[in-house]
Amino acid sequence: MIKRIITLSLTAIACLTMQAQTKNDVVTLAKSSGYWVAKPSVAIDKKKKSVARWNRTEKDDWFEPSGLMVENVPTVDNLNDDLFADFVNASKDAPYTPMPWKLTEENGETVLHCYFPMPADIVDNFWLTDEEGCILDNETGISYRARRTAPDCYYKRFGIKGKKGTVLDFKIFFPKLPETTTDIAIYGVPNWQLRGMNVKLNRQPSGQVFYGVANYYDQVPEFHHPTLVTEAKNFDKDNFFTWSEYKDAHLIKPIPEGTMAMWLTPEATYVAISTEMNWRREYFGRGGNTILIDKSGHQYKCKDVMDYPNDKLFWVQGYSGDYFAIVLIFEPLPLNLETITYIVPEGEPFKANFANWSGEVKSDLSIKELRDNQKLFKYFPRKMVE
């Protein structure tokens, strides 16, 4: 027996501030006034320069000093805003100082700016990062590794020449993070206490928001492709022996059946629908005259069904308790919409056990919430205990 109801149309901790800001093609993903660290003691050398030895880099036992002395490190003078309030308000006489940082996208890369307030004219025994430097996407498990630093001090203990009281801007360069990445952890930058710090990214660029919707497109979603077991021959909606059959669907973690997620791209709109398996072999049907309609009455037609037949019945093999994604492809939506209505018209009758061709309407769906649901549709291989 099949109880499936078919809807078918056969017609940190450290004062972290997360903002996404754009300026001169630089997007700021996250900022922090940083952890407070103890200032090193300062001495005066024979040339009357103040000299400080950094207390501990956590690499003292592993790497010999390289003899490198970096000079002319870029400085910043625009920290006097709410972002680095702790830094600005810190007394010059206090025994501790914050270590601010900022994560940006610029020139096709992700850049971690590590701001260092110079406690003296010369600082010895310093460390930035090495191959341990990485940004981990907590949702996908993909790590993006540090490529290089500016100035070039990668994998070295080094000294710094500057001017006491200035704020230096050390940079660590990583591959560009996908635009869908919002939950990360930063590793391998010990002097800024970034040893796995979790950071939430706000991907909505300020100044580019319309009606509460972010003015950016998603990447085309990638789904596990099912395997075609039997291809339809002389398809007849009233003869299930003529329907195509598939296995190895894009499985997902259990979420309420009918839950949706949306991806907006310039060419198309992708809508994934959570679908439950009640039996090891079930039939489904999607597409056809299914539409999205906005508040102005404009309709966006369903152009295709990803990996499955459009506007035809088909079989899926699996296990009872499986949840998988069926993805419909619609005409592209404009970025300035807040809500959308999903409509499946009533379909024609067909011969099958418990066949149901009722229509469906889901009104005023929040596009922001649908886009937030993308994370629910990550591929989740079946896990069974026997």
Side-chain angles (χ1 to χ4, degrees), residues 158-186:
F158 60 94
I160 310 167
K161 281 187 179 180
K163 183 180 179 181
K164 183 178 180 179
T166 58
V167 180
L168 308 186
D169 182 5
F170 287 92
K171 300 176 185 177
I172 306 174
F173 296 86
F174 301 84
K176 184 179 179 181
L177 299 177
E179 293 192 1
T180 53
T181 299
T182 58
D183 184 0
I184 67 169
I186 305 175

Side-chain angles (χ1 to χ4, degrees), residues 189-254:
V189 193
N191 279 319
W192 278 262
Q193 305 297 313
L194 298 174
R195 308 184 188 89
M197 172 184 277
N198 290 312
V199 178
K200 296 288 186 180
L201 306 184
N202 182 351
R203 288 305 219 150
Q204 296 185 3
S206 64
Q208 296 190 358
V209 177
F210 297 84
Y211 306 105
V213 180
N215 184 26
Y216 66 89
Y217 285 109
D218 299 305
Q219 296 178 338
V220 175
E222 296 184 2
F223 288 86
H224 175 79
H225 299 292
T227 301
L228 178 63
V229 177
T230 305
E231 187 173 3
K233 295 181 180 179
N234 301 316
F235 174 81
D236 180 354
K237 64 182 177 63
D238 294 319
N239 181 358
F240 56 75
F241 292 107
T242 67
W243 303 347
S244 292
E245 187 163 344
Y246 299 82
K247 65 178 181 179
D248 299 328
H250 178 93
L251 300 177
I252 59 176
K253 285 184 178 180

Side-chain angles (χ1 to χ4, degrees), residues 83-143:
L83 168 61
F84 298 126
D86 286 348
F87 176 82
V88 173
N89 295 330
S91 169
K92 293 182 179 180
D93 299 325
Y96 298 92
T97 184
M99 299 282 281
W101 56 264
K102 179 169 65 176
L103 190 68
T104 67
E105 283 180 358
E106 47 191 285
N107 299 320
E109 293 182 293
T110 302
V111 183
L112 180 63
H113 293 259
C114 298
Y115 299 113
F116 180 59
M118 283 290 285
D121 298 309
I122 300 173
V123 175
D124 191 19
N125 193 44
F126 204 71
W127 178 268
L128 187 59
T129 195
D130 59 3
E131 76 274 7
E132 293 178 345
C134 83
I135 298 174
L136 175 67
D137 186 326
N138 286 326
E139 294 184 345
T140 65
I142 298 173
S143 64

Side-chain angles (χ1 to χ4, degrees), residues 41-106:
S41 58
V42 177
I44 304 298
D45 67 6
K46 295 179 181 179
K47 297 181 181 181
K48 297 186 178 180
K49 293 285 187 179
S50 54
V51 181
R53 180 176 176 81
W54 199 246
N55 295 326
R56 182 168 175 80
T57 73
E58 299 191 0
K59 298 291 182 178
D60 295 3
D61 299 330
W62 302 345
F63 295 93
E64 294 295 327
S66 64
L68 174 66
M69 183 67 68
V70 299
E71 303 182 55
N72 302 317
V73 181
T75 61
V76 292
D77 55 8
N78 60 345
L79 298 184
N80 295 314
D81 56 27
D82 291 339
L83 168 61
F84 298 126
D86 286 348
F87 176 82
V88 173
N89 295 330
S91 169
K92 293 182 179 180
D93 299 325
Y96 298 92
T97 184
M99 299 282 281
W101 56 264
K102 179 169 65 176
L103 190 68
T104 67
E105 283 180 358
E106 47 191 285

Side-chain angles (χ1 to χ4, degrees), residues 4-48:
R4 163 73 51 222
I5 295 178
I6 300 298
T7 57
L8 173 68
S9 174
L10 288 173
T11 62
I13 305 172
C15 304
L16 194 61
T17 304
M18 290 79 67
Q19 297 177 351
Q21 300 174 339
T22 357
K23 183 178 181 182
N24 299 329
D25 297 323
V26 174
V27 178
T28 300
L29 302 177
K31 312 173 185 180
S32 173
S33 57
Y35 283 89
W36 290 62
V37 299
K39 292 180 180 177
S41 58
V42 177
I44 304 298
D45 67 6
K46 295 179 181 179
K47 297 181 181 181
K48 297 186 178 180

